[in-house]
């Protein structure tokens, strides 16, 4: 326990506040709400609590995908590159709304402002397209892990970015070909040791490219499937 206490002491003030004050939504493997718990307890490997999450894929008008490098102070997966914005709807009325995934879309709008400085008017909730859900689990280190049922959202907007350094270490837009090259280099240990978050890699390997095709064709709504839960637990 002394080691765990030391880990907690090393959290900066922002991450400590988020870990202990934010209440995540606990769900079962069918995405039914079964309770709530602190972000801290949800991410303890020994607890392994399944909770609801979201991953935003933000594209510009050229259909390039915004990638985000997680800050060095993140408790789980620091400095890994991931999709545009990844977080959790919280256990509050506005983010528990099930209809048309509105609660998750409200949470995504909140975190785009928190992490990337994108104001609500530049990311309207009605512009998010929920495209699918994924169940996965991934250890971060000996203490922390992710066990999430993730709602995946697409949005196409040209936005001005003002990354929050407490959340984000870097950003870049990539084409499909540039993403494929980034993954090749990550697998080969090239490109200054770039590493990808496990949930992003699972989405890329199993789901993303088909949706990207439909996005470019203007048929994304036809490909969206919020009934299926893709079980990608490794």
């Amino acid at each position: 326990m002394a080691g765990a206490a030391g880990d907690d002491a090393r959290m900066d003030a922002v991450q400590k506040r988020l870990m202990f004050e934010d209440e995540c939504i606990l769900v079962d493997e069918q995405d039914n709400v079964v309770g709530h718990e602190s972000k801290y307890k949800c991410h303890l490997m020994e607890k392994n609590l399944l909770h609801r999450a979201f991953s935003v894929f933000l594209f510009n008008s050229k259909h390039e995908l915004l990638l985000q490098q997680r800050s060095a102070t993140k408790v789980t997966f620091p400095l890994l590159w991931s999709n545009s914005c990844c977080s959790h709807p919280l256990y509050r009325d506005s983010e528990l709304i099930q209809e048309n995934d509105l609660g998750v879309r409200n949470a995504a709008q909140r975190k785009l402002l928190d992490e990337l400085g994108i104001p609500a008017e530049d990311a309207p909730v009605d512009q998010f397209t929920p495209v699918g859900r994924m169940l996965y689990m991934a250890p971060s280190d000996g203490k922390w892990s992710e066990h999430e049922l993730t709602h995946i959202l697409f949005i196409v907007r040209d936005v001005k970015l003002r990354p929050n350094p407490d959340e984000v270490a870097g950003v870049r837009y990539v084409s499909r070909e540039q993403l494929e090259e980034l993954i090749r280099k990550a697998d080969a240990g090239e490109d200054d040791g770039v590493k990808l978050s496990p949930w992003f890699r699972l989405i890329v390997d199993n789901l993303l490219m088909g949706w990207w095709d439909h996005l470019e064709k203007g048929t994304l709504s036809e490909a969206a499937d919020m009934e299926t839960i893709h079980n990608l637990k490794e």
Side-chain angles (χ1 to χ4, degrees):
M1 293 299 293
D7 289 343
D8 295 349
R10 285 193 293 272
M11 284 186 212
D12 71 5
V14 172
Q15 294 301 322
K16 186 172 288 188
R17 175 179 57 79
L18 294 173
M19 290 296 275
F20 287 98
E21 292 183 7
D22 284 357
E23 291 278 319
C24 294
I25 302 167
L26 300 182
V27 295
D28 62 20
E29 292 197 353
Q30 288 71 50
D31 207 13
N32 300 305
V33 177
V34 296
H36 56 96
E37 190 52 89
S38 70
K39 184 178 177 183
Y40 179 89
K41 289 187 178 179
C42 283
H43 291 86
L44 285 174
M45 187 178 291
E46 66 182 33
K47 298 287 188 182
N48 203 35
L49 298 174
L50 178 60
H51 54 283
R52 187 175 289 164
F54 65 81
S55 280
V56 174
F57 286 72
L58 187 154
F59 297 83
N60 61 21
S61 57
K62 294 186 289 185
H63 293 156
E64 295 170 327
L65 173 63
L66 178 67
L67 302 186
Q68 175 195 134
Q69 185 182 28
R70 295 163 65 81
S71 76
T73 60
K74 285 282 194 179
V75 174
T76 59
F77 304 102
L79 293 178
L80 268 60
W81 282 89
S82 195
N83 50 286
S84 315
C85 180
C86 316
S87 191
H88 314 87
L90 301 181
Y91 194 80
R92 56 176 65 163
D93 289 345
S94 63
E95 297 183 12
L96 282 163
I97 302 170
Q98 300 279 110
E99 186 177 0
N100 298 321
D101 231 25
L102 180 57
V104 173
R105 290 187 284 129
N106 285 335
Q109 184 186 67
R110 169 177 59 82
K111 288 304 292 184
L112 284 175
L113 175 60
D114 289 349
E115 294 190 1
L116 295 166
I118 301 171
E121 58 268 24
D122 289 344
V125 292
D126 63 359
Q127 295 298 301
F128 290 97
T129 300
V131 293
R133 292 182 291 175
M134 173 186 75
L135 178 65
Y136 82 99
M137 185 163 48
S140 177
D141 55 23
K143 178 177 180 178
W144 306 106
S145 68
E146 296 284 5
H147 187 199
E148 297 182 332
L149 206 158
T150 299
H151 293 227
I152 301 163
L153 309 174
F154 274 32
I155 184 170
V156 181
R157 305 284 289 184
D158 288 320
V159 295
K160 184 174 181 180
L161 302 173
R162 303 173 185 84
N164 175 359
D166 289 322
E167 299 280 354
V168 179
V171 293
R172 66 169 90 169
Y173 281 98
V174 294
S175 66
R176 184 198 305 256
E177 294 73 24
Q178 288 169 331
L179 177 57
E180 290 172 344
E181 179 65 7
L182 183 67
I183 290 170
R184 186 196 67 77
K185 288 182 176 180
D187 287 346
E190 301 174 11
D191 199 15
D192 298 323
V194 65
K195 295 182 179 179
L196 306 178
S197 72
W199 60 88
F200 179 48
R201 187 59 192 266
L202 285 170
I203 294 170
V204 170
D205 289 348
N206 293 277
L207 301 165
L208 177 61
M209 296 310 177
W211 288 329
W212 206 329
D213 283 338
H214 281 279
L215 181 71
E216 293 175 343
K217 294 174 183 175
T219 56
L220 184 61
S221 60
E222 297 175 16
D225 175 11
M226 293 302 291
E227 296 299 320
T228 303
I229 297 175
H230 300 277
N231 189 337
L232 300 180
K233 284 189 181 182
E234 295 180 311

